[in-house]
Amino acid sequence: RLFVTPDFLRSVVANCTFTYGEATAEEEVKTCESDEVVCATLQIPETLNETPEKMVVALYKSLPPLGPPDVFPPLSVDTPDLTPGGTLEVQVDAQTTGSYHVYAVLYMPGGGLASWQAKAGVDYVGTSEAISLDGRGFTLTSPIPLSIVE
């Protein structure tokens, strides 16, 4: 049996937080009314016939995106359970100010997940118009339709 004490292992490497016996504060549950949150409704395409490998909803300063999002962390869901023709409410952390676009991608099997670039004819994408963020919560009023990348 291997026992590693906190003084031999840095928490960043272990992907955990050492509390040393202290109680930790509970994380605040954010809603669409919370500061630094962007809420949107995604319109899932009726033509979706298989489960995506990953869904990513992120904020970009300009479109089309050329790599990772401008604001981290993006909302990322592995193998999301989606209903073709349905909608999905999403929340994205927006700890920033300025003008951004909401960019949503359903990375399908064989798509562009590894490169952060949606693959034409395979992946589904939806975008919003530019929105101005000022630190307060923001909710998009119109759904973002997802369609196959051309």
Side-chain angles (χ1 to χ4, degrees):
R1 204 172 210 202
L2 176 64
F3 179 75
V4 179
T5 61
D7 44 348
F8 292 113
L9 184 64
R10 294 192 325 213
S11 62
V12 174
V13 176
N15 195 22
C16 66
T17 303
F18 295 114
T19 61
Y20 302 102
E22 301 291 324
T24 58
E26 290 186 30
E27 282 191 35
E28 173 190 350
V29 176
K30 293 188 177 186
T31 67
C32 290
E33 289 76 35
S34 300
D35 288 341
E36 300 179 332
V37 170
V38 172
C39 289
T41 301
L42 303 181
Q43 179 65 53
I44 309 303
E46 291 185 19
T47 57
L48 186 70
N49 57 9
E50 61 183 318
T51 302
E53 288 183 340
K54 185 178 284 271
M55 176 183 73
V56 176
V57 183
L59 299 174
Y60 284 89
K61 289 184 179 188
S62 63
L63 297 176
L66 299 172
D70 291 310
V71 178
F72 266 84
L75 172 66
S76 179
V77 180
D78 292 330
T79 60
D81 185 20
L82 304 172
T83 303
T87 59
L88 179 66
E89 305 291 325
V90 295
Q91 290 181 15
V92 180
D93 286 336
Q95 299 178 9
T96 189
T97 59
S99 181
Y100 291 89
H101 298 268
V102 176
Y103 183 79
V105 183
L106 298 179
Y107 290 108
M108 304 305 290
L113 177 59
S115 66
W116 291 91
Q117 297 292 314
K119 188 173 182 180
V122 178
D123 297 324
Y124 292 83
V125 170
T127 63
S128 74
E129 296 294 324
I131 57 174
S132 181
L133 301 178
D134 60 8
R136 293 180 291 182
F138 189 95
T139 299
L140 292 168
T141 56
S142 299
I144 298 175
L146 296 168
S147 57
I148 198 135
V149 178
E150 295 181 11

